[in-house]
Amino acid sequence: MVRRDIMALKCDLQYGKGEAAYKLTRVGVKGVRKPVIVHREGLGKKLNNSLNCSIDIFVDLPGSQKGSHMSRNVEVLNEVVLQSMSEPVTGIEDMAADMCKRLLVHHEYAQTADVKIVAEYFRHNVTPLGKDTFETYGLLGGAHIERDGVLLKKIGVKVIGMTACPCGQQTVTEMLGYEGDLPVMTHNQRNVCKLVLECREGIDVEADDLIDLVEDSFSSPTYELLKRPDEGQVIINAHNKTKFVEDVVRGVLKRVVEKYKDLPDDVYVDVTSESEESIHKHNAFAQREGTLGELRQEND
Amino acid sequence: MVRRDIMALKCDLQYGKGEAAYKLTRVGVKGVRKPVIVHREGLGKKLNNSLNCSIDIFVDLPGSQKGSHMSRNVEVLNEVVLQSMSEPVTGIEDMAADMCKRLLVHHEYAQTADVKIVAEYFRHNVTPLGKDTFETYGLLGGAHIERDGVLLKKIGVKVIGMTACPCGQQTVTEMLGYEGDLPVMTHNQRNVCKLVLECREGIDVEADDLIDLVEDSFSSPTYELLKRPDEGQVIINAHNKTKFVEDVVRGVLKRVVEKYKDLPDDVYVDVTSESEESIHKHNAFAQREGTLGELRQEND
Amino acid sequence: MVRRDIMALKCDLQYGKGEAAYKLTRVGVKGVRKPVIVHREGLGKKLNNSLNCSIDIFVDLPGSQKGSHMSRNVEVLNEVVLQSMSEPVTGIEDMAADMCKRLLVHHEYAQTADVKIVAEYFRHNVTPLGKDTFETYGLLGGAHIERDGVLLKKIGVKVIGMTACPCGQQTVTEMLGYEGDLPVMTHNQRNVCKLVLECREGIDVEADDLIDLVEDSFSSPTYELLKRPDEGQVIINAHNKTKFVEDVVRGVLKRVVEKYKDLPDDVYVDVTSESEESIHKHNAFAQREGTLGELRQEND
Amino acid sequence: MVRRDIMALKCDLQYGKGEAAYKLTRVGVKGVRKPVIVHREGLGKKLNNSLNCSIDIFVDLPGSQKGSHMSRNVEVLNEVVLQSMSEPVTGIEDMAADMCKRLLVHHEYAQTADVKIVAEYFRHNVTPLGKDTFETYGLLGGAHIERDGVLLKKIGVKVIGMTACPCGQQTVTEMLGYEGDLPVMTHNQRNVCKLVLECREGIDVEADDLIDLVEDSFSSPTYELLKRPDEGQVIINAHNKTKFVEDVVRGVLKRVVEKYKDLPDDVYVDVTSESEESIHKHNAFAQREGTLGELRQEND
């Protein structure tokens, strides 16, 4: 069926003229799945982790060119993954940064490159009463490069925890006229908190530390396995530490500012907290986006 | 470009011989979106509702035939929807039953037809302290026909509510040594409960009644809008009526048996309750499938 | 159980001091479901549509205050929906703008408000050979207000269509050594294209026009019902009009620039096109974000 | 805060009397995430794989008992995972079977147990022109046990491939009056095919073989990376091997019957094929459920 030497294909439509001469901000592939070997000191006390990653890879495109060579994006990914076999990557954000640099080499016409990586990450944890558990988290990595040399990387986490509502608790206390010293019932629910730091190259942040910061900011962390006394203790702890979604975000911000005293002012911080409200069918949400510098000034 | 009279197309590959002569259980289209006008006495006290439906439409296929004529499935849907303009359907399960009958006419080779319809449904509700709200529910309709005359239809609902855990409450009571008469704190969370009845033609069940049965079986219904006293009352109500997912399912079963004394024993009941646990990252789940006859014997 | 006059509740924790004195960018509710009556000249030639909306409603929060009064967000929504009963809203973006203004009144401490609305929208369409169909689209509306008076609204659409790959077609033509004048086979697939315009108040854009612009930019629109000749014609049309995701985005941009000659330069345009590639397990993606002014200069 | 020896907790509400004395078909946990080490001869030529699993674990519940001890479900899971550290499991279906047996020990009141496991699986593949790629698949495992000794396990795969429509191709050929020997254009799209076998203990089926059977039944497999000649070859291959969703299902059935001559007649086979149609906004779907014995008789 194939009537020509396929190696002689000269067609390269991508370099031709497109539908119209508009620049494109981002062109590439979304949702490429790939296992990656990550080595990280302290990453759950394990040296090498195989992370199942979902990867988006984009470059920009000048107005003069019809198409981007998308297969090069997957080639860059495969280069980096192949290299990780012998030399495990130090984090998905470092892998994203490495890919961004290579993308500018492979796409000689591109001025910027963007990579986003999402992975599931499992880590040991300990219940209030000391039992070992193994919990699931999300890792959020990324990088953005410009040909003039700017490279920004993102390192973040997605953590599921529990929030107990302070307003509900106070309202019920008043309604019942309760004057004792026990924490009173309130509505509580599953909360999803994301913390992402964006910083220049050369700055290293441990995902495990970010997870710890977030878990400390919930009313309580959550656990795969809770025998009865541990279940009771989680409930008591949460009701002694009630949190709005606003409190979760600010608690994370406070811990970030305290923990990362040495990071420069231009590190960009994005924190979101979303509660799957038990008393509503919709969710409650809070977010803060801003630089470390701004945050340092606000809460003196 | 078109060089022939397209009306003269003789190609009908579907009637030809297929890959292999195996019968197929179900062939058709999934996820067709369509607004449908439904008229129902008592349906939220409104006479006509436009429901946005997602519809799956299947017939079986004999081993001798390569393909099913899938466009006929959409034609049958459009016939029924067109007719609903002048004569609103009495429920999505009746529409599914109507479609099943027509499918056997349009697909002369089919022995069975299946239709599933999912729709979002809004309904008025009242908070504990009497404020009006407007809540979202899911309607689950369907029908299955066999050429020998059997027609079964499904009518069901998906309802979001709240469960407060009885075990956590008792554990905390013991741990705190509390001996007062107030309900003690526990973990609570969003629960999704589905109730589906499958019955022969001629039996009518109101979706609104099913929603009421389910909402009565939660620790508390949930509401889009709760000012502070109502929020407190919902919390108090839920803690006075703690429920496992098992309790939610059984509460629904009990109410179904009580409410539908006149329905025959062969009505099939499927109830599921799934809690998005606030203390775990995973969900708790309970289900009962069985006939009304079985249920009537079990809880005498 | 309730021991006090609930109307006398004085608790208003939200006004208290929070976890830390950081400002929050966005606090509110996500995913509130609500049917809204929309009146729009030319909206599918129908005067009034009931749209099932999913709504996010946020305001910012000063560092001095613990919490935002989230129930006020739903109250604002209900005010607007109630008013739409007697006076249908002219579009979900206008509804979002209206809500933003009211949010600043209800949240006296807020400096900004944000509303996002997503709705499913059905519209009549015509196949290549003239048959009527009824297709599903997404409407994307929103607004952002600042207390100093700036109000920006977003109006957009999500449209599903078909792309056939020009590169695959040319490669196959070469590989087969085909020298005839028929369009040659290539891979083709489902494409999801989003077009969103952000503009100041007082500028009106019809969602129906945006849908038309996007459908013209695909290799072909797609249809719920295609009898055989129409199916053939859609395939032929698509292969005569092959499009990369890049071409879809640029085709939309070109049509936006041509259609909206009277809109000011500061209108912000965001176009994305994502193909669920038939030859890959991942998707292809292209995006352009920029002002109308920039676009007008680029493609002269 | 804790005022009693928590080890002395006597509360065991689960053994108490429930909401009503109905038996429950299935009670347990859904969506527990856990990495599992799997060892399998021939599994991608790799000895040990770490699979990220999502696990559902249920037992039934007698009418006399209020609740099931759900934490025992997670304990059983952890036992099996711990053991897999030293002795890797031979497949997720064997792990499910092992868990089912242990569940009946831990839940002395249960008569049945059900486990479902879904995992992402990566495997080497080769493009038409011989380039190595690495593709993502889904593994579907499960088991069901009854206390009287019956144990059934499920082993299945979810595979993404490509289908090109035979009807569209023939219609276009007629419409264009084409009389040459090249395969003519048609619509093609992403297809998701699931194949699941349910069999008694002692029967072993390799997931890799199931993946191969399914990939052979598409118009073409799909690949993460296709340089131009490979892209062309995939397109040509698909157009020379057009398939309805019906054909995909029957192709899989034929290959299952041929491959598994030694499996008993009572093995239950479930095959589904769903195409994300490029010419429609909805999907096409086909399914066959039946025993190997039935299949063996049908296509003689």
Side-chain angles (χ1 to χ4, degrees):
Chain A
M1 180 58 69
V2 175
R3 304 185 187 169
R4 281 202 192 174
D5 176 6
I6 54 173
M7 292 304 111
L9 287 176
K10 298 213 199 80
C11 142
D12 199 343
L13 269 184
Q14 276 83 352
Y15 283 122
K17 212 180 145 200
E19 181 88 7
Y22 299 111
K23 287 184 280 188
L24 294 180
T25 316
R26 230 165 259 116
V27 180
V29 292
K30 282 185 80 165
V32 182
R33 304 284 315 176
K34 186 76 68 174
V36 178
I37 309 296
V38 175
H39 171 95
R40 207 154 173 185
E41 299 293 333
L43 188 73
K45 312 292 177 265
K46 288 192 165 180
L47 294 186
N48 290 326
N49 278 267
S50 176
L51 299 175
N52 285 9
C53 296
S54 177
I55 307 170
D56 300 346
I57 314 168
F58 309 120
V59 294
D60 68 338
L61 188 70
S64 57
Q65 191 170 320
K66 179 178 175 69
S68 185
H69 297 78
M70 296 197 190
S71 63
R72 297 182 190 173
N73 293 6
V74 180
E75 286 176 312
V76 162
L77 171 59
N78 287 349
E79 272 179 30
V80 171
V81 169
L82 187 66
Q83 186 169 315
S84 81
M85 301 288 183
S86 54
E87 196 179 339
V89 300
T90 47
I92 57 172
E93 72 283 6
D94 294 324
M95 177 176 151
D98 186 7
M99 286 176 64
C100 276
K101 291 176 192 169
R102 293 171 190 250
L103 284 164
L104 289 192
V105 177
H106 283 68
H107 296 273
E108 72 286 357
Y109 43 81
Q111 298 304 310
T112 66
D114 281 286
V115 172
K116 289 183 193 171
I117 306 178
V118 175
E120 185 177 19
Y121 170 55
F122 293 96
R123 202 183 70 159
H124 170 258
N125 211 338
V126 179
T127 67
L129 302 181
K131 290 203 70 168
D132 294 316
T133 69
F134 208 60
E135 303 298 325
T136 177
Y137 303 94
L139 296 182
L140 313 170
H144 172 80
I145 199 169
E146 306 201 357
R147 198 172 277 282
D148 62 16
V150 173
L151 190 151
L152 292 171
K153 61 181 191 178
K154 285 187 184 181
I155 171 71
V157 295
K158 178 178 130 184
V159 185
I160 299 173
M162 180 184 184
T163 52
C165 178
C167 176
Q169 190 176 52
Q170 187 163 328
T171 302
V172 170
T173 304
E174 273 198 63
M175 286 172 72
L176 298 178
Y178 179 71
E179 294 178 347
D181 60 351
L182 294 179
V184 162
M185 59 179 156
T186 188
H187 66 90
N188 48 77
Q189 54 266 318
R190 197 180 282 176
N191 184 282
V192 178
C193 181
K194 293 183 193 174
L195 162 60
V196 180
L197 302 186
E198 187 179 39
C199 54
R200 282 172 283 148
E201 238 191 330
I203 294 176
D204 289 316
V205 172
E206 283 298 324
D208 274 346
D209 291 336
L210 300 183
I211 291 173
D212 291 340
L213 295 183
V214 173
E215 291 205 323
D216 288 348
S217 304
F218 289 129
S219 292
S220 171
T222 61
Y223 304 93
E224 58 166 1
L225 180 56
L226 292 169
K227 298 305 285 185
R228 204 157 292 121
D230 252 326
E231 178 181 350
Q233 197 58 52
V234 164
I235 296 167
I236 294 168
N237 290 352
H239 284 75
N240 276 318
K241 194 185 165 195
T242 55
K243 299 281 173 199
F244 286 141
V245 285
E246 294 94 322
D247 292 319
V248 175
V249 171
R250 283 172 171 155
V252 171
L253 294 171
K254 189 174 66 175
R255 287 169 178 84
V256 165
V257 169
E258 287 167 5
K259 169 91 185 169
Y260 296 110
K261 291 205 167 61
D262 295 339
L263 288 192
D265 272 357
D266 64 357
V267 169
Y268 198 79
V269 183
D270 185 358
V271 185
T272 63
S273 171
E274 183 163 349
S275 271
E276 301 172 5
E277 296 286 292
S278 63
I279 60 167
H280 299 301
K281 295 175 184 72
H282 58 258
N283 293 355
F285 178 84
Q287 179 173 23
R288 173 63 194 268
E289 300 175 287
T291 64
L292 254 185
E294 289 164 0
L295 295 172
R296 283 166 176 156
Q297 290 186 335
E298 281 176 32
N299 192 39
D300 273 346
Chain B
M1 178 60 64
V2 174
R3 303 184 188 170
R4 281 203 193 174
D5 175 6
I6 54 172
M7 292 304 110
L9 286 177
K10 297 213 200 79
C11 142
D12 199 343
L13 269 184
Q14 276 84 351
Y15 282 123
K17 212 181 146 202
E19 180 89 7
Y22 300 111
K23 287 184 280 188
L24 294 179
T25 316
R26 230 164 259 114
V27 180
V29 292
K30 282 186 80 166
V32 182
R33 304 283 316 176
K34 187 75 69 173
V36 178
I37 309 295
V38 176
H39 170 96
R40 205 153 173 186
E41 298 293 334
L43 188 73
K45 310 292 176 269
K46 287 190 169 183
L47 294 186
N48 289 327
N49 278 265
S50 175
L51 298 176
N52 286 9
C53 297
S54 177
I55 307 169
D56 301 346
I57 314 167
F58 309 120
V59 294
D60 70 337
L61 188 69
S64 57
Q65 191 170 320
K66 180 178 176 69
S68 185
H69 297 78
M70 296 197 190
S71 63
R72 297 181 190 172
N73 293 6
V74 180
E75 286 177 311
V76 162
L77 171 58
N78 287 349
E79 273 179 31
V80 171
V81 169
L82 187 66
Q83 186 169 315
S84 81
M85 302 287 184
S86 54
E87 196 180 338
V89 302
T90 48
I92 56 172
E93 71 285 5
D94 294 325
M95 176 177 152
D98 186 7
M99 286 175 64
C100 276
K101 290 176 193 169
R102 294 170 190 249
L103 284 164
L104 289 192
V105 176
H106 284 67
H107 297 272
E108 74 285 358
Y109 43 82
Q111 298 305 309
T112 67
D114 281 285
V115 172
K116 289 182 193 172
I117 305 178
V118 176
E120 185 176 18
Y121 170 54
F122 293 96
R123 201 183 71 158
H124 171 258
N125 211 339
V126 179
T127 67
L129 302 181
K131 290 203 69 166
D132 293 316
T133 69
F134 208 59
E135 303 297 325
T136 176
Y137 303 94
L139 296 182
L140 314 170
H144 171 81
I145 199 170
E146 306 201 359
R147 199 171 278 280
D148 62 17
V150 173
L151 189 152
L152 293 171
K153 62 181 190 177
K154 285 186 184 180
I155 170 72
V157 296
K158 179 178 130 184
V159 185
I160 298 174
M162 181 184 183
T163 52
C165 178
C167 176
Q169 190 176 52
Q170 187 164 327
T171 302
V172 170
T173 304
E174 272 198 64
M175 286 173 72
L176 298 178
Y178 179 71
E179 294 178 347
D181 60 351
L182 294 179
V184 163
M185 58 180 156
T186 187
H187 67 91
N188 49 76
Q189 54 266 316
R190 197 179 281 176
N191 185 282
V192 179
C193 181
K194 293 182 191 174
L195 162 61
V196 181
L197 301 186
E198 187 179 40
C199 54
R200 282 171 284 148
E201 238 190 329
I203 294 176
D204 288 317
V205 173
E206 282 299 325
D208 274 347
D209 292 336
L210 300 183
I211 290 173
D212 291 340
L213 294 183
V214 173
E215 291 206 323
D216 288 348
S217 304
F218 289 129
S219 291
S220 171
T222 61
Y223 304 93
E224 58 165 3
L225 181 55
L226 292 169
K227 298 304 284 185
R228 203 158 292 121
D230 252 326
E231 178 181 351
Q233 198 57 53
V234 165
I235 296 168
I236 293 168
N237 290 351
H239 285 74
N240 275 318
K241 194 185 167 197
T242 55
K243 297 283 174 197
F244 286 141
V245 285
E246 294 93 322
D247 292 318
V248 175
V249 172
R250 283 171 171 155
V252 172
L253 294 171
K254 190 174 67 175
R255 287 169 178 85
V256 165
V257 169
E258 287 168 5
K259 169 90 184 169
Y260 296 110
K261 289 203 168 59
D262 295 338
L263 289 192
D265 272 356
D266 64 357
V267 169
Y268 198 80
V269 183
D270 186 358
V271 185
T272 62
S273 170
E274 183 163 349
S275 272
E276 302 172 5
E277 297 286 292
S278 63
I279 60 167
H280 299 301
K281 296 175 182 72
H282 59 258
N283 293 355
F285 179 84
Q287 180 173 24
R288 173 62 193 268
E289 300 175 288
T291 65
L292 255 184
E294 289 164 1
L295 294 171
R296 282 166 176 155
Q297 290 186 335
E298 280 175 34
N299 192 39
D300 273 347
Chain C
M1 180 59 64
V2 175
R3 303 183 189 173
R4 279 202 193 175
D5 176 5
I6 54 173
M7 291 305 111
L9 286 177
K10 299 215 198 77
C11 143
D12 199 343
L13 269 185
Q14 277 83 352
Y15 283 122
K17 211 181 147 202
E19 180 87 8
Y22 300 112
K23 286 185 281 189
L24 294 180
T25 317
R26 231 164 259 115
V27 180
V29 292
K30 282 185 79 165
V32 182
R33 304 284 316 176
K34 187 76 67 174
V36 178
I37 308 296
V38 176
H39 171 96
R40 205 154 174 185
E41 297 294 333
L43 189 73
K45 312 291 177 266
K46 288 191 167 183
L47 294 186
N48 289 328
N49 278 266
S50 174
L51 299 175
N52 286 9
C53 296
S54 177
I55 307 169
D56 301 346
I57 314 168
F58 309 120
V59 294
D60 69 338
L61 189 68
S64 57
Q65 191 168 321
K66 179 177 175 69
S68 185
H69 298 79
M70 296 198 190
S71 64
R72 297 183 190 172
N73 293 5
V74 180
E75 286 177 311
V76 163
L77 171 59
N78 287 350
E79 272 180 30
V80 171
V81 168
L82 187 66
Q83 185 169 315
S84 81
M85 302 287 184
S86 54
E87 195 180 337
V89 301
T90 48
I92 57 172
E93 72 283 6
D94 294 324
M95 176 177 153
D98 186 8
M99 286 175 64
C100 276
K101 291 176 193 168
R102 293 170 190 249
L103 284 164
L104 290 191
V105 176
H106 283 67
H107 297 273
E108 74 286 357
Y109 43 81
Q111 298 304 310
T112 68
D114 281 286
V115 172
K116 290 183 193 172
I117 306 178
V118 176
E120 185 176 18
Y121 170 54
F122 293 96
R123 200 183 72 157
H124 171 259
N125 210 339
V126 180
T127 67
L129 302 181
K131 290 203 69 167
D132 293 316
T133 70
F134 208 59
E135 304 296 325
T136 177
Y137 303 94
L139 296 182
L140 313 170
H144 172 80
I145 199 169
E146 306 200 359
R147 198 171 278 280
D148 61 16
V150 173
L151 190 152
L152 293 171
K153 62 182 189 177
K154 285 187 183 180
I155 170 70
V157 295
K158 179 179 129 183
V159 185
I160 298 174
M162 180 184 184
T163 52
C165 179
C167 176
Q169 191 176 52
Q170 187 165 325
T171 302
V172 169
T173 303
E174 272 198 66
M175 286 173 72
L176 298 178
Y178 178 71
E179 295 178 345
D181 61 349
L182 295 179
V184 162
M185 58 180 157
T186 189
H187 65 92
N188 48 77
Q189 53 268 316
R190 197 179 282 174
N191 184 282
V192 179
C193 181
K194 293 183 191 172
L195 163 61
V196 180
L197 302 186
E198 187 180 38
C199 54
R200 281 171 286 151
E201 238 190 330
I203 294 176
D204 288 317
V205 172
E206 281 300 325
D208 273 346
D209 291 336
L210 300 183
I211 291 173
D212 291 340
L213 294 183
V214 173
E215 291 206 322
D216 288 348
S217 305
F218 290 130
S219 292
S220 171
T222 60
Y223 304 94
E224 58 165 2
L225 179 56
L226 292 169
K227 299 303 284 184
R228 204 159 290 121
D230 252 326
E231 178 182 350
Q233 198 58 53
V234 164
I235 296 168
I236 294 168
N237 290 352
H239 286 74
N240 276 317
K241 194 184 165 195
T242 55
K243 298 281 174 200
F244 285 140
V245 284
E246 293 94 322
D247 292 318
V248 175
V249 171
R250 283 171 171 156
V252 172
L253 294 172
K254 190 174 66 174
R255 287 168 179 84
V256 165
V257 169
E258 286 166 6
K259 170 90 185 170
Y260 297 110
K261 289 204 167 60
D262 295 338
L263 289 192
D265 273 357
D266 64 356
V267 169
Y268 198 80
V269 183
D270 185 358
V271 185
T272 63
S273 170
E274 183 162 351
S275 271
E276 301 173 4
E277 296 287 291
S278 63
I279 60 167
H280 299 301
K281 295 175 183 73
H282 59 258
N283 292 355
F285 179 84
Q287 179 172 24
R288 173 63 194 268
E289 301 175 287
T291 65
L292 255 185
E294 289 164 0
L295 294 172
R296 282 166 177 156
Q297 290 186 335
E298 280 176 35
N299 191 39
D300 274 345
Chain D
M1 179 59 66
V2 175
R3 303 185 188 169
R4 279 205 193 170
D5 176 6
I6 54 173
M7 291 306 110
L9 286 177
K10 298 214 198 78
C11 142
D12 199 343
L13 269 185
Q14 276 82 353
Y15 284 121
K17 211 181 146 202
E19 180 88 8
Y22 300 112
K23 287 184 280 189
L24 294 179
T25 316
R26 231 164 259 115
V27 180
V29 292
K30 282 186 80 165
V32 182
R33 304 283 316 176
K34 187 75 68 172
V36 178
I37 309 295
V38 176
H39 170 96
R40 207 155 174 185
E41 297 294 333
L43 188 73
K45 311 291 177 270
K46 289 192 167 180
L47 295 186
N48 289 327
N49 278 266
S50 175
L51 299 175
N52 286 8
C53 295
S54 177
I55 307 170
D56 300 346
I57 314 169
F58 309 120
V59 294
D60 69 338
L61 188 69
S64 57
Q65 191 170 321
K66 179 178 175 69
S68 185
H69 298 78
M70 296 198 189
S71 63
R72 297 182 189 173
N73 293 5
V74 180
E75 286 176 311
V76 162
L77 171 58
N78 287 349
E79 272 179 29
V80 170
V81 168
L82 187 66
Q83 186 169 315
S84 81
M85 301 288 184
S86 54
E87 196 179 338
V89 301
T90 47
I92 57 172
E93 72 282 7
D94 294 324
M95 176 176 152
D98 186 8
M99 287 175 63
C100 276
K101 291 176 192 169
R102 293 170 190 250
L103 284 164
L104 289 193
V105 176
H106 283 67
H107 296 273
E108 74 285 358
Y109 43 80
Q111 299 304 310
T112 67
D114 281 286
V115 172
K116 289 183 194 172
I117 306 178
V118 175
E120 185 177 19
Y121 170 54
F122 293 97
R123 201 184 71 157
H124 171 258
N125 210 340
V126 180
T127 67
L129 302 181
K131 290 203 69 167
D132 294 316
T133 69
F134 209 60
E135 304 297 325
T136 176
Y137 303 94
L139 296 182
L140 313 169
H144 172 80
I145 200 168
E146 306 201 357
R147 198 172 277 281
D148 62 16
V150 173
L151 190 152
L152 293 171
K153 61 181 191 178
K154 285 187 184 182
I155 169 72
V157 295
K158 179 179 130 184
V159 185
I160 299 174
M162 180 184 184
T163 52
C165 178
C167 176
Q169 191 176 51
Q170 187 164 327
T171 302
V172 170
T173 304
E174 273 197 65
M175 287 172 72
L176 298 178
Y178 178 71
E179 294 178 347
D181 61 349
L182 295 179
V184 162
M185 59 181 156
T186 188
H187 65 90
N188 49 77
Q189 54 266 318
R190 198 180 281 176
N191 184 282
V192 179
C193 181
K194 293 182 191 174
L195 162 60
V196 180
L197 301 186
E198 187 179 39
C199 54
R200 282 171 284 150
E201 238 191 330
I203 294 176
D204 288 317
V205 172
E206 282 299 325
D208 274 346
D209 292 337
L210 300 183
I211 291 173
D212 291 340
L213 294 183
V214 174
E215 290 206 323
D216 288 348
S217 304
F218 289 129
S219 292
S220 171
T222 60
Y223 305 93
E224 57 165 3
L225 180 55
L226 292 169
K227 298 304 285 185
R228 204 159 291 120
D230 252 325
E231 178 181 352
Q233 198 59 53
V234 164
I235 296 167
I236 294 168
N237 290 352
H239 284 74
N240 276 318
K241 194 184 166 195
T242 55
K243 299 281 174 199
F244 286 142
V245 285
E246 294 94 322
D247 292 318
V248 175
V249 172
R250 283 171 171 157
V252 171
L253 294 171
K254 190 175 65 175
R255 287 168 178 83
V256 165
V257 170
E258 286 167 6
K259 169 91 185 168
Y260 297 110
K261 291 205 165 63
D262 296 338
L263 289 191
D265 272 357
D266 64 356
V267 169
Y268 198 80
V269 183
D270 186 357
V271 186
T272 63
S273 170
E274 184 162 350
S275 271
E276 302 172 4
E277 296 286 291
S278 61
I279 60 168
H280 299 302
K281 295 175 183 72
H282 59 258
N283 292 356
F285 178 84
Q287 179 173 25
R288 173 62 194 268
E289 300 175 287
T291 65
L292 255 185
E294 290 164 0
L295 294 172
R296 282 167 176 153
Q297 290 186 335
E298 281 176 33
N299 191 38
D300 275 346

